Amino acid sequence: MKDVAARAGVGLKTVSRVVNGEPGVTPDTERRVQEAIDTLGFRRNDSARVLRKGRTASVGLVLEDLADPFYGPLSRAVEEVARAHGALLINGSSAEDPDREQELALALCARRVDGLIIIPAGSDHRYLEPEMRAGVATVFVDRPAGGIEADTVLSDSFGGARAGVAHLIAHGHRRIGFIGDRPRIHTATERLRGYRAAMEEAGLAVDPSWVSLGPTDPLRVRDAVEAMVAGGEPVTALFAGNNRVTVTAVRALAGRDHPVALVGFDDIELADLLGITVIAQDAAALGRTAAERLFRRLDGIDEAPARVVLGTTLIPRGSGEIAPPA
């Protein structure tokens, strides 16, 4: 900074104001300082800045799976909000492993991030209590926290699934299968609850063989699809509990002599071209809302933890409008 000040012909305080974007510097002086910075290759010492201000201007995002297309728009929205606040986003994947989630979250805290946004893999988040008491703002997204009170931003999984199954019922279906994620996952149980509610409201009993929860790997989902559409009284429609289930279901149902209606939760790539009816949730809105709540906390807003639930949208494209066999 001394070299920059000498080259620009200003004091150290003026250089500090320019580097930190503070007021009180004329445009001409700012230009001279910036030219000196560019010529000398000066870089601000962020480590020293952290020690001085106690803030790192960074936030952490713990996702389930960075490769899942659902999390792309969510992560991008968080990054845009962080950037608008002059903060760097650091993210990692828990791979749906509670131990890995905890390891990642605490590693980010050890690097002194100012806040965390977490898509939880586990159901016990009391390990974060010391970090939150120490000032690490924390928001949970897509699924609620377990064992602690914290800001939470969710999609309406119950209402979306209920609407999707009601849509199939309205098109004449009475035997409807549900294939979802692991039962310990909040979104999976909420979507199953929505399925059961729609069936009950229509006066339709649910055969236990019509429901399958478990890992979303293609082999397990394909087996579930084939079991439900086989036999003397097969299901005539399926509700897929998330995007990965929907993709496998589309493949498993392709080329069948008797089409099976399908509605999926989450939109998927090429769904418009393939004619897949979906319950779409706004992943970008989830990320943006969570990030905005995080920075409200970081800006000093002291309020009770909030639970924000965002609506979903039914997009009919053809697969959910197939009538059952006569």
Side-chain angles (χ1 to χ4, degrees):
M1 286 181 67
K2 289 179 181 178
D3 292 338
V4 170
R7 188 176 187 91
V10 299
L12 281 173
K13 182 59 179 176
T14 299
V15 176
S16 176
R17 284 177 176 151
V18 172
V19 168
N20 291 295
E22 297 173 0
V25 182
T26 66
D28 181 64
T29 300
E30 183 177 358
R31 178 187 56 76
R32 294 205 321 273
V33 172
Q34 193 58 57
E35 287 176 353
I37 287 171
D38 294 341
T39 300
L40 296 173
F42 170 82
R43 295 292 181 271
R44 182 177 62 193
N45 186 335
D46 279 337
S47 296
R49 182 169 175 266
V50 168
L51 290 172
R52 185 174 70 254
K53 294 191 173 184
R55 292 275 294 268
T56 62
S58 63
V59 295
L61 172 61
V62 179
L63 299 166
E64 176 199 344
D65 183 358
L66 290 169
D68 188 327
F70 172 74
Y71 294 118
L74 188 154
S75 178
R76 178 64 182 270
V78 172
E79 185 175 25
E80 288 300 317
V81 174
R83 186 167 180 263
H85 286 81
L88 176 70
L89 177 67
I90 307 169
N91 58 29
S93 172
S94 69
E96 202 61 75
D97 180 343
D99 291 335
R100 185 166 172 178
E101 172 214 299
Q102 179 173 339
E103 178 186 339
L104 266 173
L106 293 180
L108 289 165
C109 290
R111 284 159 178 76
R112 300 187 66 183
V113 294
D114 300 321
L116 288 172
I117 295 176
I118 299 176
I119 296 171
S123 58
D124 186 352
H125 295 91
R126 288 174 294 178
Y127 70 87
L128 282 170
E129 286 180 333
E131 310 299 334
M132 294 171 69
R133 284 197 298 268
V136 178
T138 305
V139 177
F140 289 81
V141 65
D142 191 44
R143 307 165 188 172
I148 61 172
E149 293 293 323
D151 287 323
T152 305
V153 182
L154 309 171
S155 287
D156 185 7
S157 287
F158 169 80
R162 181 182 178 188
V165 175
H167 184 74
L168 291 168
I169 294 169
H171 283 81
H173 295 278
R174 298 296 178 264
R175 300 193 303 274
I176 303 170
F178 177 94
I179 304 177
D181 211 328
R182 298 172 179 86
R184 65 175 174 80
I185 295 174
H186 171 80
T187 49
T189 58
E190 282 296 285
R191 292 167 196 175
L192 176 59
R193 194 166 69 87
Y195 160 81
R196 290 191 182 280
M199 295 290 279
E200 182 179 350
E201 288 163 6
L204 301 174
V206 175
D207 190 296
S209 67
W210 297 351
V211 175
S212 177
L213 296 180
T216 57
D217 64 87
L219 181 60
R220 200 282 300 184
V221 173
R222 180 177 287 275
D223 286 346
V225 171
E226 291 177 351
M228 290 184 191
V229 300
E233 289 194 341
V235 300
T236 62
L238 286 172
F239 186 85
N242 65 25
N243 56 356
R244 285 166 290 188
V245 174
T246 302
V247 169
T248 301
V250 169
R251 289 174 174 153
L253 296 173
R256 292 185 57 81
D257 294 334
H258 303 289
V260 175
L262 174 68
V263 174
F265 203 108
D266 293 337
D267 211 352
I268 59 173
E269 190 174 5
L270 302 182
D272 53 340
L273 296 178
L274 296 171
I276 308 301
T277 298
V278 299
I279 300 296
Q281 53 180 332
D282 192 337
L286 281 171
R288 182 169 55 254
T289 305
E292 287 169 351
R293 291 211 65 83
L294 185 77
F295 281 97
R296 278 175 61 84
R297 294 289 182 190
L298 292 175
D299 288 341
I301 303 298
D302 186 15
E303 57 191 6
R307 184 184 182 100
V308 180
V309 180
L310 305 183
T312 57
T313 304
L314 171 66
I315 306 177
R317 296 189 178 120
S319 70
E321 294 70 53
I322 298 172

Coordinates of all heavy atoms in Angstrom, one line a residue, residues 106 124-136 138 146-149:
L106 N -18.9 -28.0 9.4 CA -17.9 -27.5 10.4 C -16.6 -27.1 9.8 O -15.9 -26.2 10.3 CB -17.7 -28.7 11.4 CG -18.9 -29.0 12.3 CD1 -18.6 -30.1 13.3 CD2 -19.4 -27.8 13.1
D124 N -30.4 -34.3 12.7 CA -29.9 -33.7 14.0 C -28.9 -32.7 13.7 O -27.8 -33.0 13.3 CB -29.4 -34.8 14.9 CG -29.1 -34.3 16.3 OD1 -29.2 -33.1 16.5 OD2 -28.8 -35.1 17.2
H125 N -29.2 -31.4 13.9 CA -28.3 -30.3 13.6 C -27.9 -29.6 14.8 O -27.4 -28.4 14.7 CB -29.0 -29.4 12.6 CG -29.2 -30.1 11.2 ND1 -30.3 -30.7 10.9 CD2 -28.3 -30.3 10.2 CE1 -30.2 -31.3 9.7 NE2 -29.0 -31.0 9.3
R126 N -28.0 -30.2 16.0 CA -27.5 -29.6 17.2 C -26.0 -29.3 17.2 O -25.5 -28.5 18.0 CB -27.9 -30.5 18.4 CG -29.4 -30.4 18.7 CD -29.8 -31.4 19.8 NE -29.6 -32.8 19.4 CZ -29.9 -33.8 20.1 NH1 -30.3 -33.7 21.4 NH2 -29.7 -35.0 19.7
Y127 N -25.3 -30.0 16.3 CA -23.8 -29.8 16.3 C -23.5 -28.3 15.8 O -22.4 -27.8 16.0 CB -23.2 -30.8 15.3 CG -23.5 -30.6 13.8 CD1 -22.8 -29.7 13.0 CD2 -24.6 -31.3 13.2 CE1 -23.1 -29.5 11.7 CE2 -24.9 -31.1 11.9 CZ -24.1 -30.3 11.1 OH -24.4 -30.1 9.8
L128 N -24.5 -27.7 15.2 CA -24.3 -26.3 14.8 C -24.6 -25.2 15.8 O -24.4 -24.1 15.6 CB -25.2 -26.0 13.5 CG -24.7 -26.6 12.2 CD1 -25.8 -26.5 11.2 CD2 -23.4 -25.9 11.8
E129 N -25.2 -25.7 17.0 CA -25.6 -24.7 18.0 C -24.4 -23.8 18.4 O -24.6 -22.6 18.5 CB -26.2 -25.4 19.2 CG -27.6 -25.9 18.9 CD -28.3 -26.6 20.1 OE1 -27.5 -27.2 20.9 OE2 -29.5 -26.6 20.2
P130 N -23.2 -24.4 18.7 CA -22.1 -23.5 19.1 C -21.7 -22.5 18.0 O -21.4 -21.4 18.4 CB -20.9 -24.5 19.4 CG -21.6 -25.8 19.7 CD -22.8 -25.8 18.8
E131 N -21.8 -22.9 16.8 CA -21.4 -22.0 15.7 C -22.4 -20.9 15.6 O -22.0 -19.8 15.3 CB -21.3 -22.8 14.4 CG -20.5 -24.1 14.4 CD -19.0 -23.8 14.8 OE1 -18.5 -22.7 14.5 OE2 -18.4 -24.8 15.3
M132 N -23.7 -21.3 15.7 CA -24.7 -20.2 15.6 C -24.6 -19.2 16.7 O -24.8 -18.0 16.5 CB -26.1 -20.9 15.5 CG -26.3 -21.7 14.2 SD -27.8 -22.7 14.2 CE -29.1 -21.5 14.1
R133 N -24.3 -19.8 17.9 CA -24.2 -18.8 19.1 C -23.0 -17.9 18.9 O -23.0 -16.8 19.4 CB -24.0 -19.6 20.4 CG -25.3 -20.2 20.9 CD -25.2 -20.6 22.4 NE -24.1 -21.7 22.5 CZ -24.4 -23.0 22.5 NH1 -25.6 -23.4 22.3 NH2 -23.4 -23.8 22.7
A134 N -22.0 -18.4 18.1 CA -20.8 -17.6 17.9 C -21.0 -16.6 16.8 O -20.1 -15.8 16.5 CB -19.6 -18.5 17.5
G135 N -22.2 -16.6 16.1 CA -22.5 -15.6 15.2 C -22.6 -16.1 13.7 O -22.7 -15.3 12.8
V136 N -22.5 -17.4 13.5 CA -22.6 -17.9 12.1 C -24.1 -18.0 11.7 O -24.8 -18.8 12.2 CB -21.9 -19.3 11.9 CG1 -22.1 -19.8 10.5 CG2 -20.4 -19.2 12.3
T138 N -27.3 -19.0 9.8 CA -27.5 -20.3 9.2 C -29.0 -20.4 8.7 O -29.9 -20.1 9.5 CB -27.3 -21.5 10.2 OG1 -25.9 -21.4 10.7 CG2 -27.4 -22.8 9.5
G146 N -33.1 -30.3 12.0 CA -33.5 -31.2 13.0 C -32.9 -30.8 14.4 O -31.7 -30.7 14.5
G147 N -33.8 -30.7 15.4 CA -33.3 -30.4 16.7 C -32.9 -29.0 17.1 O -32.5 -28.7 18.2
I148 N -33.0 -28.1 16.1 CA -32.7 -26.7 16.4 C -33.7 -25.8 15.7 O -34.4 -26.2 14.7 CB -31.3 -26.3 15.9 CG1 -31.1 -26.5 14.4 CG2 -30.2 -27.1 16.6 CD1 -29.8 -25.9 13.8
E149 N -33.8 -24.5 16.1 CA -34.6 -23.5 15.5 C -33.8 -22.7 14.5 O -32.7 -22.2 14.9 CB -35.3 -22.6 16.5 CG -36.3 -23.3 17.4 CD -37.5 -23.8 16.6 OE1 -37.9 -23.0 15.7 OE2 -38.1 -24.9 16.9

